[in-house]
Amino acid sequence: MGTLSLRSFFKLVCVLTFLTCVFISLTLLSSCKRERPPWKVGFAGTLSGTFSELGVAGRNGAILKIEEVNKGGGVKGRPLELLIRDDKHDPKEAMRVDQELIEAGVVAIIGHMTSAMTLSVMPLVEEQKVLLISPTTSTPLLAKKNDLFIRVVGVSSEPAKEIAKLASQKGLKKVAVLLSKENKEYCVPYAEAFKVKLQEEGGDVIWVEEFGQEQRSIFSFLTEEILRKKPDAILIVASGTDTALLCQYIRMSNGMIPIFVSGWALTQDLLLHGGRSVEGVWTYEYFPFAAQDKAIEEFREKYKARFRIEPSFASVLAYDAVEVLVRGLKNAKEPITPNGLKEAILKIKRFESPSGAFELDQYGDAIIRYHFVTVENGRFVSSNP
Amino acid sequence: MKIRPSLKWIISFVLLVSSILPSIVLGIILIWVSGEVQRDEIENSSKVISKAVAIHLEHLVEHSKNTLQIIHDSMEYGALFMEVVPYIAKNTPNRSVIKSIKLLDQWKRIQVIYPLDMNKLGIDLSGLPYLKGLKEEEWVFSEVYSDPFSREPVVSLCKGIKRGYLCVDMDLEYLNRYVPSVIRPGSFELVLMDSNGLPIYHPDHRMVLERQSLANIINLQAPEQDIVHAPIVPLGEKYVGCLSLIRGTQWHLFVGQAEKKAFETMTKTQKAMLSLVFITALLASLAGFLFSRAITRPMEALKHMAEKVSRGDYGLPEGSKGYSEITEVLDAFRSMAHSIKEREERILEGQRRYKDLLENAVDPIIITDEKGEIVEVNRALFERGWREEEVIGHSVSEIAGISTSEFERIVQQLKEKGSFTFELKRVGRRGALTHYSVSARLIGGLGKEEIKIQFTFRDITEQKIAYDRARISEERYKEIYDSVQDLIYTQDLEGRILSANKALWNIFGYTQEQFVGRKVSEFMKPEYRQAFETEYLAQLKEKGFYEGISQYYTKDGRRIFIQYKSVLVTDKEGNKYISGIGRDVTEQFLAQKRLQQEEKRIRTMLQTVNVPIALYNQKGEILFINQAFTNTFGWTQEEAMGKVLPEMPESEKEKNREALKRLLRTGIGEFLETKRYTKSGQEVDVITNASIVVDPVTGSQSTVVVFHDITEFRKMERSLATAQRMEALGILAGGIAHNFNNLLMGITGNIQLLRMKLGRDHPEFKRFETIEKLIGDATSLTRQLVQFARGGKYEPRPTDLNRVIKEHDKIFATTRKEVLIQEELQEGLWPVECDTNQFKQVLMNLYINAVQAIEERASMHGLPQAGGIITVRTQNVILEALQLGRFQKEKGFYVKVSVSDNGKGMDEETKRKIFEPFFTTKEVGKGTGLGLASVYGIVKNHDGFIDVETKLGEGTTFHIYLPALEAETPKEEASAKEEAVVQGRGKILLVDDEKLVLDAAQEMLKELGYEVLAVDEPTEALQLFNEEKDNIDLVILDMVMPVKDGIQVLREMRLMNPKVKVLLASGYGIEPHMEELKEMGCTGVIQKPYKFSELSQVVGRMIKGLCEGGA
């Protein structure tokens, strides 16, 4: 400092001041800096109307997981952004919203929530090359296919067979079936598998009644008619709300007949609208409803804290679907491609879920155990039949 | 070392602080303030909108509730659901919000629904959580749920009613049309949610249909906190707004604005601010550059000038460069250079003068360097025989004898102080011991100049010798002063000690330094300090001297007394001071004080002793008497002083003289019983005891005499003798009375029987009456005798003596009108336990005695009887043991009754015998001699005592003392007994050893109708009783019998039959046995001789089962 003349020093100070000003100004101006672009993730499911039960619960599960991931710093330093679309349980709408999501640049779509919708968008998925990870599509029609479809749920025909075995064991040889034709892709294979197995077991499906939107106003006639066939038991393959209403009418006509329901029906709506009439219905499903299961209870707590309502199995499966995607994204090489992503996912052997760990087979179908489920005191209970 | 900030840094810092930082800080503040304002505005607007919407929604909800309530009320009055609902639903305000109305049964199944839908009837809604636990009269809103039939979101309002529920399903479609219609919130958005955050109304209706959870908004803050605002993501982008709860529901209303839109203005302002900051910074840099140029150029010129001055070149160029401030600095520089030049010249002049002074100084001066090497000396040193080569370059220790270490210490001290003086003793070059006063001073040391030390040596040998002589003289004087044992001091005129010898400060326990300078009054008690000023100092100033003894306190708190004499002295200069001498007289003073106290104590003791004591001189004159002497004899100390007192009766003089002689001869005192007169002339019995006292100082003799007053003792002695005699007489009289009564009983019984048998017509009937009357007199006589000999306290009751006296006096006054009875009765007189009749007898006897005395006096002096006065007084008294000593009574409360007369009075002999039975002064036939004896007996029997005061020719007073009771006196006395004869039936065992009595009583009882078994021997009576015990109704027992008395017989009979009824008859008192008899059960008492009627009544009552005599 001593060798520097005062004049030179002042010059230096002026230059430094100028530079400081420029630096401060630039810093302030760039305060609204741009973050790294998020991973866009699509969610497509039925969120309104007749079959919105699975969609709403699934969407909430997906949101919960995405928020957790973002809170933990995202994936590879990038947050996830969930783009939610309602397919309104309309194949055309499903195609449209998927197209929209693909155009928005999603890395994958979590959805759809019913087999009918999933099957309807499969051509688009294959064509547009986007990975579809479904939480609840369990139709056997998509099983063992090397496509861009992954699901975290098992194939529905297996539980259907197990129900048939149970019916037989209980001596319920003559079973009438009520099935929803609006989700035929799920219901028909389910009823078929049941029928085949029941016949194997020495029983038979004595009556099959399909119903759609137009039959909803005559549910009471439908049930009366089916009861007139004097079945030993009735199997209902329908959504939770439909199953609930059908159970109500069955109980009004014949209080005692055993009722089997499909896994699709195991939503909160079955309990809300079924009341006492759904007490004691039986089914098998890829989801443990054991209340004492700590992981499920923890999931339930955080779900309720976030949404203030009870979760359903679709919430857990959607949560799992996002988990699968996130793990895949972490492992996949960039740039992310649908195939690359699927490959990365399939490389992962084991996934943790609140409902227990599961694996994916080479086609992207979950290998998962199913459980006996019944309704007791207004709650789903997993136990031995 | 402290680091100072350079000018460069300060300027650059100031530049930054003054130009750039303010603009940045200002910019930030403005941005922040504008943000806050914006935020407040949003919040306030949100609140306003929120309130407005909330009011509408509350009305809407209220209408729905009212609808349900009306339906409910109508049904309560018996209307059918489907009758009333369509009408009500159509007429309710905002009816469109009501989608359907349902009536559920108690199992929550749809019973009826409006509009009617058959499919829904019977549907079980028990699974809907909002219905769970809903009680009658409670309201609940459901969360948004999907209607199972329409599959659309719905909200239900339900009310618990008797045996069911009433529910309204609300049309969310309508609500979603209604909410935007009530308010146009401008850039604000509204969202209405249920308690779970599921949208009821949302600008994007899809959110409602898709049941998109907005719980994250509610989760931001507890809903009970009315208004909140926070950035949220309800609509796909960040919003800011407030959340409120709709009253009567659990619905939340969010009113907010998109952050981007809300803070658009603020973002613009921020940008403007940043631009401003940028421009300000640029301008500041430019200004700084120019400023630096303007400053640095003249600064460099200044630098050159300073360099010139430092080289000693003071010729600075004239002219100015740059700004006025710089020109002023240049001028100041030039002035500085001129000043430096002048100062240098003055220093050189000063140095010259210093050199001259040094050379011409008389005292030798040596200047050394810091190491002590002499560098300069003055001529005075050479004049004392030193040569320059012997001095210059040599060490100061060689020349001045100051050792190296001493020199170093001097240098150190000089560095601290600058200069100082010390003394030095040294043998000079000429061999003489010389004393120097050496003045050392530090010189030089300015700038690079070396430090030097200047020593100036002044020869003070002569002063030193003179001073030593004076000191030795003073020390000798001081030793003498201190060796004196007396206390010598001087004080100033305020009393402050100027000097004191050792003895003085030693005695106070202080050192000389502590003592001198203090005021003598400081060692005094605070209360004497004033006197020190006002008396001691004042008198000294006025009269010039003062002497006295004062009390002081030493350092260790000891009290001392000093006798002193102080005089006022004036010295040569005319200064006045006090000089004095004192002596410690504590021992003598205290001894004298003790002596005085001792004397006082003895005097007090003598005064308080309750025995009269007198001190006589050799002439027998009184020197001292105590208070007891005054109390006993009446003279006070003043009256008695110098007199020969108390006087003695003539008869006693010889005896006393002899005793005095013996005392003077032997010196041994003796007890002498003698008499003295009191001041009032009363004779007092005393026992004296004298002793000789010799004054140890004067050798004079005096006599102390102690008088024991034994007057009261003698009286007591006499009373006791009387009492003993009376006791003996009582026993005698009792015995006579008993036997005499038995005789009278026999006579009475026979006479009465004869009279009854002969009848009134018999010519000798009158004689019998006369005999009976005479027997009555004899009975009265014996009764008096019995009364004297503790006769009988038959009916003692709490009694008001005043009443008894008044009753008695009333009757007495009518019989003796020549005598005036004066009553002086105390009000509130304590009651006494007394037999009224007996007490009246006492009064009667005393009054009769008084009347006789008055009569005798009148006849003696030939006076009329009228004028005789009997005074009766009553008084409550509390008597002490001392007063009661001679009566052998306990101290306590008594009622005193005094009966006084103004009769002839009595002499001592009469007085002593007055209560003895049959003692009388009256002529034969006029008195029985039993009147006062019976008074004595009755009073004694009442636990009282009697005293008499009499003076011959003046009258007599009898004082009766009866123990007072605590109980209240009954107002009325028991009614008089009946006189009638009562006939009866039953078997009576009559026991009496007196045959006469036995026969008479047997006859009387038979006459009364009783069967009588008469026995005159107790043993036989017991045997008979044993045989007949169950048949005998009553036993009449004589109390006094040989072998076994009545009480003993009674006891044995009780053993045989505890319920036996016994009447005890006695001619003697049974009072001593009264307590025992009470314990023995139903027992009666009858006094012999008894009348026929009296016997008939007592026996009659007892046979009927009524007990007598309180037993």
Side-chain angles (χ1 to χ4, degrees), chain B residues 872-1077:
Chain B
V872 59
R873 283 184 204 89
T874 55
Q875 204 181 343
N876 293 327
V877 289
I878 301 167
L879 297 181
E880 295 300 322
L882 189 70
Q883 295 166 291
L884 294 162
R886 62 197 168 101
F887 300 106
Q888 292 180 307
K889 292 287 174 195
E890 286 179 6
K891 63 175 180 179
F893 300 89
Y894 287 84
V895 172
K896 180 181 176 187
V897 179
S898 306
V899 178
S900 309
D901 65 58
N902 55 353
K904 66 167 185 174
M906 288 178 272
D907 57 18
E908 273 298 310
E909 188 62 27
T910 310
K911 184 184 159 188
R912 212 163 48 237
K913 292 184 175 174
I914 194 162
F915 296 115
E916 289 178 12
F918 309 110
F919 174 79
T920 177
T921 56
K922 300 176 188 84
E923 52 197 270
V924 178
K926 268 215 163 180
T928 60
L930 283 171
L932 288 177
S934 70
V935 167
Y936 180 89
I938 291 168
V939 171
K940 199 168 182 187
N941 202 32
H942 279 76
D943 273 338
F945 59 91
I946 186 162
D947 195 13
V948 60
E949 267 183 70
T950 183
K951 203 159 189 184
L952 205 57
E954 287 183 12
T956 306
T957 302
F958 288 92
H959 301 288
I960 297 165
Y961 296 86
L962 297 181
L965 278 181
E966 285 179 15
E968 282 289 313
T969 316
K971 296 287 177 196
E972 293 298 326
E973 293 274 318
S975 59
K977 287 178 184 171
E978 287 176 33
E979 290 289 321
V981 173
V982 180
Q983 294 286 324
R985 280 180 184 284
K987 199 177 215 174
I988 294 171
L989 174 61
L990 180 66
V991 188
D992 201 310
D993 62 325
E994 289 291 333
K995 196 77 173 93
L996 261 174
V997 177
L998 188 73
D999 292 344
Q1002 187 180 12
E1003 284 301 313
M1004 277 197 263
L1005 290 167
K1006 280 181 180 170
E1007 198 66 26
L1008 289 168
Y1010 298 101
E1011 189 185 334
V1012 183
L1013 301 171
V1015 185
D1016 62 354
E1017 211 275 309
T1019 320
E1020 195 186 336
L1022 283 168
Q1023 199 177 343
L1024 189 60
F1025 180 77
N1026 196 28
E1027 288 162 11
E1028 294 279 335
K1029 63 188 172 202
D1030 297 329
N1031 302 323
I1032 292 171
D1033 297 304
L1034 180 72
V1035 179
I1036 300 175
L1037 262 179
D1038 184 19
M1039 271 290 283
V1040 185
M1041 290 187 290
V1043 190
K1044 278 181 182 172
D1045 67 11
I1047 300 288
Q1048 213 171 340
V1049 176
L1050 171 61
R1051 262 188 221 120
E1052 288 180 35
M1053 284 180 173
R1054 282 255 174 246
L1055 290 173
M1056 294 176 211
N1057 180 9
K1059 289 178 182 173
V1060 66
K1061 294 169 191 169
V1062 178
L1063 177 64
L1064 286 165
S1066 176
Y1068 199 66
I1070 55 167
E1071 190 64 20
H1073 302 289
M1074 211 56 205
E1075 284 302 314
E1076 196 180 353
L1077 291 173

Side-chain angles (χ1 to χ4, degrees), chain A residues 1 4 6-7 9-11 13-14 17-18 21-22 24-25 28-29 47-50 52 56 59 63 84 86 216-217 220 239 241-242 245 248-249 252 271-273 275-277 305-309, chain B residues 8-9 11-12 15 20 24 107 109 119 121-124 126-129 145-146 148-149 151 195-196 209-213 215-216 218-219 274 278 281-282 285 288-289 292-293 295-297 299-300:
Chain A
M1 292 298 285
L4 196 65
L6 197 59
R7 192 171 180 171
F9 173 73
F10 273 127
K11 281 177 188 168
V13 166
C14 288
T17 308
F18 176 75
C21 289
V22 171
I24 291 169
S25 306
L28 286 171
L29 283 167
L47 298 174
S48 57
T50 311
S52 60
V56 169
R59 175 198 62 201
I63 289 173
I84 301 162
D86 179 12
R216 284 208 170 81
S217 56
S220 55
S239 70
T241 307
D242 284 337
L245 286 177
Q248 292 250 16
Y249 293 121
M252 274 190 254
L271 303 176
L272 290 182
H273 303 306
R276 285 177 290 270
S277 63
R306 172 64 180 83
F307 300 107
R308 296 183 164 223
I309 51 173
Chain B
K8 295 170 188 175
W9 284 113
I11 289 172
S12 54
L15 197 67
I20 300 164
I24 293 169
W107 294 282
R109 292 179 309 205
N119 273 329
L121 297 181
I123 291 293
D124 176 11
S126 63
L128 294 170
Y145 66 98
S146 171
F149 295 96
R151 308 295 167 106
S195 59
N196 289 337
L209 296 175
E210 292 175 9
R211 287 185 277 164
Q212 175 69 272
S213 174
N216 58 334
I218 302 168
N219 286 347
L274 285 173
F278 181 70
L282 266 180
S285 305
F289 176 72
S292 70
R293 267 170 64 92
I295 296 285
T296 50
R297 278 188 177 174
M299 291 288 268
E300 274 173 11

Side-chain angles (χ1 to χ4, degrees), chain B residues 849-860:
Chain B
N849 208 63
V851 168
Q852 285 170 352
I854 289 163
E855 281 172 356
E856 281 174 26
R857 184 171 178 242
S859 64
M860 273 169 69

